[in-house]
Amino acid sequence: MKKIATLAVLAAAASASYAQSSVTLFGIADATVQVGRGSVDNNVGLGSGGLSTSRIGFRGVEDLGGGLKAGFWLEAGYTLNNGNGQNSNALAFTRRSTVSLMGDSWGEIRLGRDFTAPYNNLYDAFGDNGVGNILETQDLGITYGLQTRTSNAVSYFTPKTLGGFFGQVQYYRNGRDASPAANRDQFGNGYGVRVGYENGPVSVGVAYGETDFNDAGLGAKVDTKNINFGGSYDFGVAKLLVSVGQDKGEALGESAKTRLYTVGTTVPVGAGLIRASWTRASEKDSEVRADKFALGYVHNLSKRTALYTTFAYLKNKDASSLALNGSVTGAGDSSKGLDIGLRHAF
Amino acid sequence: MKKIATLAVLAAAASASYAQSSVTLFGIADATVQVGRGSVDNNVGLGSGGLSTSRIGFRGVEDLGGGLKAGFWLEAGYTLNNGNGQNSNALAFTRRSTVSLMGDSWGEIRLGRDFTAPYNNLYDAFGDNGVGNILETQDLGITYGLQTRTSNAVSYFTPKTLGGFFGQVQYYRNGRDASPAANRDQFGNGYGVRVGYENGPVSVGVAYGETDFNDAGLGAKVDTKNINFGGSYDFGVAKLLVSVGQDKGEALGESAKTRLYTVGTTVPVGAGLIRASWTRASEKDSEVRADKFALGYVHNLSKRTALYTTFAYLKNKDASSLALNGSVTGAGDSSKGLDIGLRHAF
Amino acid sequence: MKKIATLAVLAAAASASYAQSSVTLFGIADATVQVGRGSVDNNVGLGSGGLSTSRIGFRGVEDLGGGLKAGFWLEAGYTLNNGNGQNSNALAFTRRSTVSLMGDSWGEIRLGRDFTAPYNNLYDAFGDNGVGNILETQDLGITYGLQTRTSNAVSYFTPKTLGGFFGQVQYYRNGRDASPAANRDQFGNGYGVRVGYENGPVSVGVAYGETDFNDAGLGAKVDTKNINFGGSYDFGVAKLLVSVGQDKGEALGESAKTRLYTVGTTVPVGAGLIRASWTRASEKDSEVRADKFALGYVHNLSKRTALYTTFAYLKNKDASSLALNGSVTGAGDSSKGLDIGLRHAF
């Protein structure tokens, strides 16, 4: 929800509207100089999406009368530094591809590819982008962590008439058509639920999802269960954001759990925004974990254009060897990363 | 012609025009819940394009004065359920990619990738989309059936000043550049012709085409010959559509023929449209054939947005084992399929 | 620079603008009948981009006030004859993908994928397109010639306030991320510089660049050095264009050099433009070389639409076996090529 709301503000109406309807061309062009330091290898290069993922999309809403609306949303990611699309280097609408029917009084039915409900519930000071992004728990070694998106989803969203309460249920069947099977983004069958409350300065939510994968290597079905809680409160001088989540994978009578904790803040300063967060990803029943501390500043040249910089320090423990911005670091070692970039929204 | 005409009505002028010219962004977002039943395996899932193939495109016409116009048409297909493009999962203008020079008095020269002339001549109550689509004769096992599109085509279309008579001739040379050779959509060299008459409630046409393929497996050239007749008549309370076609493949002195028959009707009911058809695909000189009975209803919420459902029953005979909506059925067995979907045009 | 300036004139503002900003959809649809003759094999077919490379793109500039602007440019190439994108048949913004910050007084910082500085400095009567294009020196057999584009570039362009003098410096680091390594378009690390003078009828420039590649086959680093000089003068009745360049590759203590010479002219005749050029590519310290003579005519039906034809004759010497328009010719033999096409810009 937050991502979409942010996007809606950023996106500019680049096309003429007609009747009660509109089609909007929108996008992000975001390039960042990336510096990464690790105990094994360093890296310097140009990257994409340090503040917002580079993308281009087309979306529209048609007013059908009587409080009924139809809408579509087609969004393709690309990497600005080399112009490649995000889907095997090609452009495709794999960030979002949906068609919706919406009723003012009853909510929205949405069909297609979209964020999973638990991913929608993450509250992160860095919007899960750039060197300061949330440590994805699957990076710690768990095979099936929280997935960002799912194809083949049928979702229901509650209307905005519930006094601030909102909910989403989502069901998807991907297992049968998964191709290529090796693609981590190919889901199995599953569902997700999210409920929350958003009113004035407060936003809180809880989400749960289950997905069954066929793990060819393991020769067995893996049942993954993702749960997370989160919220934000805007004190005016600063906004506080908190997320706590757990990913569990069960197969052949055994299970593994990974947990994610993050506390962040954003502080407006004139035309700028200071951002800071601490994030921990840890395996349950082991000492394997990683802590990331990130500090950044976004200087808005306009509503659409910003210069930004983010510094992050990551501390691994035990077998964890996560590294930042393309650097390589040893198990238990630390890594540092710096982004300096320019983001333009259109 | 019909497809294009339909599209032109559906497509919304999403861009500002300038001078005598215009560039239009257009597309379809169509998602359908697909249910398939067969004697071997069933399937339930989300699909794309049950009413109209999901697509996005850009096209425009420039008035050059003196009855002369220039135009272009770039159209990419995608599958809404997962956001992938239709060309190896990537977006590409492989539905149509043409540039044209048009004269009010002499017609149109069109260069690029487009429908084949015989495909343009199909009259189908379901527009060759969704579970009720025409049984493609090549599905019965003939290697080279009627191809939907060709690249590298030079086409001539007659002007609209012939009192309802129209014609198209088309020549293409793909054999040399075909890559990858395994792609069924890669043509050899060939040509196509279509002539017809369209006036008020009546539309009739006949088309013929020949294409030479190099069949690596066979180690020989295959000469395919496609012919079809068809027409529609709008009685007001209902429209009747009929198509009869034959695909013939000749190689090494032998030949195989497959035939397609379809009779369909569309009946407007208020804001809705009932659609029904019977289609038969059969191999000549054998008992192999399939019959499909399809019944559907389209409920238009606006000119651009529709809810729809289609049910189809397919009966195989002999070695034929065609199945609907991802189900699997045995040779000679039947299959059932159901689409329930939402189509939004922009 | 020239390419971009040309494009800016051709591109039509297809989208509504808002505030001080605009987003523009632009493109080229160019199809050409290609005839090629060689001593080994001839070819006839439909091709793309005989006058201007077929492309589609989105670009925009936002006025940030105080002489500051932000801009983006996303441009994808495609082949009109079959609708495929130019990046492994898929659409991707691999022609140009940049985000910029621009100051009226200090110039432009541009990040992303773009032309190399030496490529920007080519002066060619045929704009390096179609059968009359500049013989690329790497075609003669040198492994690492002048590259058209680079990803991961940080470029600085001088402002337009220097009395006609202009300059560009460019730095890129691709070596680390190159994938797939086999892609010739994947650069190593390097830089480029271009300085010149453009005022009224005169334009002159000199450019130099160095790039280091890791040559897996050679098992060594190859250091390439590209230099070129060029200029054009518009006499009114005709424009004269001249380019001279050298590409040098050094590895394991040895080096190879290839040189490019071209002299061309464009002559306006009413609504048309006659174009002619002689181009020579030759290996230093050997007799291997190729000479191309090209003559063409562009008939403008409007500012955006043109019919064109180009004839080219190529003479190989020694081991050179370059051939035109898909024909095949033997070492030392000649080749002939003809384009007859239609270009529409939108």
Side-chain angles (χ1 to χ4, degrees):
Chain A
M1 292 288 281
K2 187 166 163 294
K3 276 180 181 290
I4 294 165
T6 308
L7 194 60
V9 172
L10 295 175
S15 306
S17 57
Y18 55 99
Q20 301 287 334
S21 307
S22 68
V23 174
T24 301
L25 162 67
F26 66 92
I28 302 277
D30 184 331
T32 178
V33 174
Q34 296 176 321
V35 181
R37 299 270 177 243
S39 63
V40 177
D41 198 11
N42 299 325
N43 188 30
V44 179
L46 194 69
S48 177
L51 180 55
S52 312
T53 305
S54 295
R55 73 195 72 170
I56 188 162
F58 308 88
R59 58 187 162 81
V61 173
E62 181 191 17
D63 192 334
L64 299 166
L68 199 64
K69 295 190 183 77
F72 75 99
W73 190 300
L74 301 173
E75 184 177 326
Y78 70 94
T79 43
L80 188 121
N81 51 308
N82 54 24
N84 286 332
Q86 275 191 338
N87 198 37
S88 305
N89 291 346
L91 288 173
F93 298 123
T94 42
R95 280 183 61 84
R96 180 168 165 188
S97 167
T98 61
V99 61
S100 294
L101 203 58
M102 296 163 275
D104 289 348
S105 59
W106 56 263
E108 176 180 356
I109 298 284
R110 190 185 294 175
L111 308 174
R113 180 174 175 83
D114 198 4
F115 288 119
T116 60
Y119 189 83
N120 269 338
N121 198 51
L122 293 176
Y123 290 79
D124 177 23
F126 290 90
D128 199 22
N129 278 311
V131 74
N133 72 344
I134 295 180
L135 284 168
E136 297 190 16
T137 51
Q138 59 260 48
D139 290 339
L140 275 185
I142 191 171
T143 310
Y144 299 104
L146 173 60
Q147 301 285 342
T148 305
R149 295 178 175 84
T150 177
S151 294
N152 298 306
V154 177
S155 292
Y156 166 73
F157 293 85
T158 55
K160 298 179 189 233
T161 54
L162 306 181
F165 290 94
F166 63 84
Q168 171 191 7
V169 292
Q170 181 178 55
Y171 178 71
Y172 41 90
R173 291 181 63 84
N174 302 290
R176 186 161 181 149
D177 303 323
S179 168
N183 188 342
R184 196 179 79 170
D185 216 13
Q186 293 291 343
F187 280 52
N189 300 338
Y191 69 93
V193 182
R194 183 191 179 207
V195 293
Y197 177 77
E198 204 162 38
N199 204 346
V202 67
S203 174
V204 290
V206 55
Y208 180 75
E210 287 197 22
T211 311
D212 288 350
F213 295 91
N214 283 307
D215 187 322
L218 202 62
K221 191 189 76 163
V222 178
D223 184 8
T224 68
K225 300 178 180 179
N226 311 107
I227 188 167
N228 60 34
F229 308 82
S232 66
Y233 194 90
D234 193 343
F235 294 95
V237 296
K239 188 177 185 177
L240 183 71
L241 305 97
V242 179
S243 279
V244 178
Q246 177 180 281
D247 301 323
K248 184 179 175 185
E250 296 175 327
L252 304 174
E254 298 195 21
S255 74
K257 287 182 188 169
T258 314
R259 289 184 177 160
L260 175 76
Y261 309 85
T262 186
V263 179
T265 185
T266 61
V267 182
V269 219
L273 189 73
I274 295 171
R275 308 190 296 172
S277 74
W278 160 73
T279 307
R280 168 176 291 182
S282 61
E283 289 187 10
K284 197 164 175 288
D285 306 322
S286 94
E287 292 297 302
V288 176
R289 72 166 189 247
D291 289 274
K292 187 198 275 188
F293 302 88
L295 179 65
Y297 175 66
V298 181
H299 185 73
N300 293 302
L301 299 171
S302 75
K303 281 187 181 176
R304 296 164 54 205
T305 303
L307 291 165
Y308 63 88
T309 185
T310 306
F311 173 77
Y313 173 82
L314 186 146
K315 183 76 195 78
N316 291 295
K317 196 173 169 191
D318 203 344
S320 174
S321 62
L322 300 183
L324 302 176
N325 274 354
S327 66
V328 181
T329 209
D333 289 344
S334 66
S335 176
K336 284 179 272 190
L338 180 70
D339 284 353
I340 302 174
L342 170 64
R343 188 229 43 213
H344 177 69
F346 56 93
Chain B
M1 293 289 282
K2 188 167 161 293
K3 277 178 181 290
I4 294 165
T6 308
L7 193 60
V9 172
L10 295 174
S15 306
S17 57
Y18 55 99
Q20 300 288 334
S21 308
S22 68
V23 174
T24 300
L25 162 68
F26 65 93
I28 302 276
D30 184 331
T32 177
V33 174
Q34 295 176 322
V35 182
R37 299 269 176 243
S39 64
V40 178
D41 198 11
N42 300 325
N43 189 30
V44 179
L46 194 68
S48 177
L51 180 54
S52 312
T53 305
S54 296
R55 75 195 69 171
I56 187 163
F58 307 88
R59 58 188 163 81
V61 174
E62 181 191 18
D63 192 334
L64 299 166
L68 199 63
K69 294 190 183 77
F72 75 99
W73 191 299
L74 301 173
E75 184 177 326
Y78 70 94
T79 44
L80 188 121
N81 52 308
N82 55 24
N84 286 332
Q86 274 191 339
N87 198 38
S88 305
N89 292 345
L91 288 173
F93 298 124
T94 44
R95 281 182 61 84
R96 180 168 166 189
S97 167
T98 62
V99 61
S100 294
L101 203 59
M102 295 163 275
D104 288 349
S105 59
W106 55 263
E108 175 180 357
I109 298 284
R110 189 185 295 176
L111 308 173
R113 179 173 176 83
D114 198 4
F115 289 120
T116 61
Y119 189 84
N120 268 338
N121 198 52
L122 293 177
Y123 291 78
D124 177 22
F126 290 89
D128 198 22
N129 279 312
V131 75
N133 71 344
I134 296 180
L135 284 167
E136 298 189 17
T137 50
Q138 60 259 49
D139 291 339
L140 275 185
I142 191 171
T143 310
Y144 300 103
L146 173 59
Q147 300 285 341
T148 305
R149 295 178 175 84
T150 177
S151 294
N152 298 306
V154 177
S155 292
Y156 166 73
F157 293 85
T158 54
K160 298 178 188 233
T161 54
L162 306 180
F165 290 95
F166 63 86
Q168 171 190 8
V169 292
Q170 181 178 56
Y171 178 70
Y172 41 90
R173 290 180 63 84
N174 302 289
R176 187 161 179 149
D177 304 322
S179 167
N183 188 342
R184 195 180 79 171
D185 215 17
Q186 292 292 340
F187 279 53
N189 300 338
Y191 70 91
V193 182
R194 182 191 180 208
V195 294
Y197 177 79
E198 203 161 39
N199 204 346
V202 66
S203 174
V204 291
V206 55
Y208 179 74
E210 286 196 23
T211 311
D212 287 350
F213 296 91
N214 283 306
D215 187 321
L218 201 62
K221 192 190 74 163
V222 178
D223 184 9
T224 68
K225 300 177 180 180
N226 310 106
I227 187 166
N228 59 35
F229 309 82
S232 65
Y233 194 90
D234 192 342
F235 294 95
V237 295
K239 187 177 184 177
L240 183 71
L241 305 97
V242 178
S243 279
V244 178
Q246 178 180 280
D247 301 322
K248 183 179 176 186
E250 296 176 326
L252 303 172
E254 299 196 21
S255 74
K257 288 181 187 170
T258 313
R259 289 184 177 160
L260 174 76
Y261 310 85
T262 186
V263 179
T265 185
T266 61
V267 183
V269 217
L273 189 74
I274 294 171
R275 308 189 297 173
S277 75
W278 160 74
T279 307
R280 169 176 290 183
S282 59
E283 288 187 10
K284 198 164 174 287
D285 306 322
S286 94
E287 293 297 303
V288 176
R289 71 165 189 247
D291 289 274
K292 186 198 275 188
F293 303 88
L295 179 65
Y297 175 66
V298 180
H299 186 72
N300 292 302
L301 298 171
S302 74
K303 282 188 180 176
R304 296 164 53 207
T305 303
L307 291 165
Y308 63 88
T309 185
T310 306
F311 173 78
Y313 173 81
L314 187 146
K315 183 76 194 78
N316 291 294
K317 196 174 170 192
D318 203 343
S320 175
S321 61
L322 299 183
L324 301 175
N325 275 352
S327 67
V328 181
T329 208
D333 289 345
S334 66
S335 176
K336 286 179 270 191
L338 179 70
D339 284 351
I340 302 174
L342 169 64
R343 189 228 45 212
H344 177 69
F346 56 95
Chain C
M1 293 288 283
K2 186 166 163 295
K3 276 179 180 291
I4 294 165
T6 309
L7 193 61
V9 172
L10 296 174
S15 305
S17 57
Y18 55 98
Q20 300 287 334
S21 308
S22 67
V23 174
T24 301
L25 163 67
F26 66 93
I28 302 275
D30 183 332
T32 177
V33 174
Q34 296 177 321
V35 182
R37 298 271 177 243
S39 63
V40 177
D41 198 11
N42 300 326
N43 189 31
V44 179
L46 193 68
S48 178
L51 180 55
S52 312
T53 304
S54 295
R55 73 195 71 170
I56 188 163
F58 306 88
R59 58 188 163 80
V61 173
E62 181 192 18
D63 192 334
L64 299 167
L68 200 63
K69 294 190 184 76
F72 75 99
W73 190 299
L74 301 173
E75 185 177 327
Y78 70 94
T79 44
L80 188 121
N81 51 308
N82 54 24
N84 286 333
Q86 275 191 339
N87 199 38
S88 305
N89 292 344
L91 288 173
F93 298 123
T94 44
R95 280 183 60 84
R96 181 167 165 188
S97 167
T98 62
V99 60
S100 294
L101 202 58
M102 295 164 276
D104 289 348
S105 59
W106 56 262
E108 176 180 356
I109 298 284
R110 189 184 293 175
L111 308 174
R113 181 173 175 83
D114 198 4
F115 289 120
T116 61
Y119 189 85
N120 268 339
N121 198 52
L122 294 176
Y123 291 78
D124 177 23
F126 290 89
D128 198 23
N129 279 311
V131 76
N133 71 344
I134 296 181
L135 284 167
E136 297 190 18
T137 51
Q138 61 259 47
D139 290 340
L140 276 185
I142 191 171
T143 310
Y144 299 103
L146 173 60
Q147 301 285 342
T148 304
R149 295 178 175 84
T150 177
S151 294
N152 298 307
V154 177
S155 292
Y156 167 73
F157 294 85
T158 55
K160 300 181 186 222
T161 54
L162 305 181
F165 290 96
F166 63 85
Q168 171 190 7
V169 292
Q170 181 177 56
Y171 178 71
Y172 41 90
R173 291 180 63 84
N174 302 289
R176 187 162 179 147
D177 303 323
S179 167
N183 188 341
R184 196 179 80 170
D185 215 14
Q186 292 292 341
F187 280 53
N189 301 337
Y191 69 92
V193 182
R194 184 192 179 206
V195 293
Y197 177 78
E198 204 161 39
N199 204 346
V202 66
S203 174
V204 290
V206 55
Y208 180 75
E210 286 197 23
T211 311
D212 288 350
F213 296 90
N214 283 307
D215 187 321
L218 201 62
K221 191 189 75 163
V222 178
D223 184 9
T224 69
K225 299 176 180 181
N226 311 107
I227 187 165
N228 61 34
F229 308 82
S232 66
Y233 193 90
D234 192 343
F235 293 95
V237 296
K239 188 178 184 178
L240 183 72
L241 305 97
V242 179
S243 279
V244 179
Q246 178 179 280
D247 301 322
K248 183 179 176 185
E250 296 174 328
L252 303 173
E254 298 195 22
S255 75
K257 286 182 188 170
T258 313
R259 288 182 177 162
L260 174 76
Y261 309 85
T262 186
V263 179
T265 185
T266 60
V267 182
V269 218
L273 189 73
I274 294 171
R275 307 189 297 172
S277 74
W278 161 73
T279 307
R280 167 175 292 182
S282 60
E283 288 186 10
K284 197 164 175 288
D285 306 322
S286 95
E287 293 297 302
V288 176
R289 71 167 189 245
D291 289 274
K292 186 198 276 188
F293 303 88
L295 179 65
Y297 175 65
V298 181
H299 186 72
N300 293 301
L301 298 171
S302 75
K303 282 187 180 176
R304 296 164 53 205
T305 304
L307 291 165
Y308 63 89
T309 185
T310 306
F311 173 78
Y313 172 81
L314 186 145
K315 182 78 194 77
N316 290 296
K317 196 174 169 190
D318 203 345
S320 175
S321 62
L322 299 182
L324 300 176
N325 275 351
S327 67
V328 181
T329 209
D333 289 345
S334 66
S335 176
K336 284 179 272 190
L338 179 70
D339 285 350
I340 302 173
L342 170 64
R343 188 226 46 210
H344 177 69
F346 56 94

